[in-house]
Amino acid sequence: METPTCPICDSRSDEYSQYRTCAHRDLEDINYQVWRCQECFLLFVNPLPDLSLIEGQYDMEEVVEHIRRGSYLGRKIRYGWRALKLRSSGMSGSLIEIGCGQGDFLIGAKFAGFSPIVGVEPEKATARFAANRGFTVHDNLFNPANFEKEQFDNAVSIQVLEHVPDPIKFVKDISLVIKKGGRLLLETPCTSHPRALKAGKEWRYISPPWHLNLFNEKNLAILFERAGLKLEKTWQHTHKAYISAI
């Protein structure tokens, strides 16, 4: 197999592992090649799965696993804290969340004073659940053409970036619906987190075709720059191996 270049910084890459998918959501077991960029240390899948397989993971009317899992009170506290932290960092006004799931962060954002609030969630059943909690939710993959240019003061995307096949295009598309001077929060699994380093190649977030790209502080800065945005700050989470970037 020809050694691919990094989709974020275009540098050379090393073979990282031959990782066998966990048959997520009844997908057939397939061997995927995971690579590591020599320069920015992005972990990425190449070749990418067929687009129909990627999109097919979200085209399920009866997906309920996210709705049933975990403590509602715990999620309410966790996402409410996230929203309040964004307010304390200077974010305010209208907000769109790409990949809003069942609406836990939307509730936190409402509590923190963001308004109006819009969600995007491609899983139909999950989107209905979020909409039934009182929010406007688009039940499809994010497309900036569905919104006005510079419509929102803020955009949030929590644990979505690792799923998209073209991260630079994804961030550029989000930037089209944010007002000049607005802010974007991205949260994603972090390869430089102590838990990720300890787990090594057995880290559970290395899970193609579900996760396609895995980031750290360095390659997130490059991603923001190549998307035409200025990175203000990043921070690692303590409860899980995540990183947030504004």
Side-chain angles (χ1 to χ4, degrees):
M1 181 182 296
E2 182 179 353
T3 303
T5 57
C6 173
I8 299 300
C9 74
D10 297 325
S11 299
R12 293 182 59 189
S13 300
D14 294 320
E15 182 177 330
Y16 188 70
S17 65
Q18 190 79 14
Y19 197 90
R20 190 172 181 84
T21 181
C22 59
H24 184 83
R25 296 184 180 175
D26 299 323
L27 294 176
E28 181 183 356
D29 276 351
I30 304 173
N31 283 332
Y32 289 97
Q33 183 66 60
V34 179
W35 303 83
R36 177 172 54 192
C37 175
Q38 295 179 2
E39 179 61 30
C40 74
F41 305 109
L42 180 82
L43 293 184
F44 63 98
V45 176
N46 186 282
L48 286 169
D50 291 338
L51 185 60
S52 60
L53 188 150
I54 296 173
E55 293 183 349
Q57 297 177 86
Y58 306 100
D59 189 22
M60 299 182 181
E61 284 285 344
E62 302 304 326
V63 172
V64 294
E65 64 181 68
H66 295 302
I67 296 170
R68 292 177 175 173
R69 183 185 301 154
S71 162
Y72 170 71
L73 179 60
R75 293 195 306 269
K76 187 174 181 180
I77 294 172
R78 186 165 64 251
Y79 286 101
W81 177 86
R82 277 187 177 93
L84 289 172
K85 184 170 183 176
L86 297 186
R87 280 304 305 270
S88 67
S89 72
M91 295 172 66
S92 63
S94 57
L95 181 144
I96 181 172
E97 183 184 6
I98 294 95
C100 68
Q102 60 197 35
D104 293 322
F105 179 81
L106 298 181
I107 290 176
K110 182 179 180 180
F111 174 77
F114 290 94
S115 180
I117 299 171
V118 174
V120 178
E121 174 53 55
E123 288 184 350
K124 307 298 184 184
T126 310
R128 286 196 299 270
F129 187 94
N132 288 337
R133 300 173 93 172
F135 298 101
T136 299
V137 179
H138 296 253
D139 61 349
N140 45 39
L141 291 169
F142 174 70
N143 184 345
N146 295 333
F147 303 94
E148 296 180 14
K149 187 176 181 180
E150 299 183 16
Q151 181 175 343
F152 300 96
D153 296 299
N154 311 280
V156 172
S157 190
I158 298 174
Q159 297 168 42
V160 174
L161 183 64
E162 61 272 18
H163 300 277
V164 300
D166 189 342
I168 295 176
K169 181 181 183 301
F170 178 67
V171 176
K172 283 183 176 179
D173 284 349
I174 297 176
S175 72
L176 296 176
V177 304
I178 307 174
K179 297 176 183 178
K180 286 183 173 59
R183 287 184 170 89
L184 163 65
L185 168 77
L186 294 177
E187 179 184 303
T188 188
C190 180
T191 60
S192 62
H193 194 282
R195 296 188 183 188
L197 297 175
K198 181 178 180 180
K201 294 182 180 181
E202 301 304 316
W203 190 36
R204 67 188 185 94
Y205 288 111
I206 306 173
S207 56
W210 190 233
H211 290 167
L212 303 174
N213 300 282
L214 294 168
F215 294 83
N216 60 24
E217 291 86 348
K218 184 174 184 177
N219 46 53
L220 278 173
I222 298 171
L223 171 64
F224 271 66
E225 181 181 7
R226 293 195 64 181
L229 302 179
K230 178 183 177 182
L231 180 63
E232 292 186 358
K233 61 180 177 179
T234 63
W235 66 92
Q236 292 188 5
H237 295 225
T238 55
H239 68 289
K240 287 189 176 181
Y242 299 150
I243 186 172
S244 289
I246 293 180

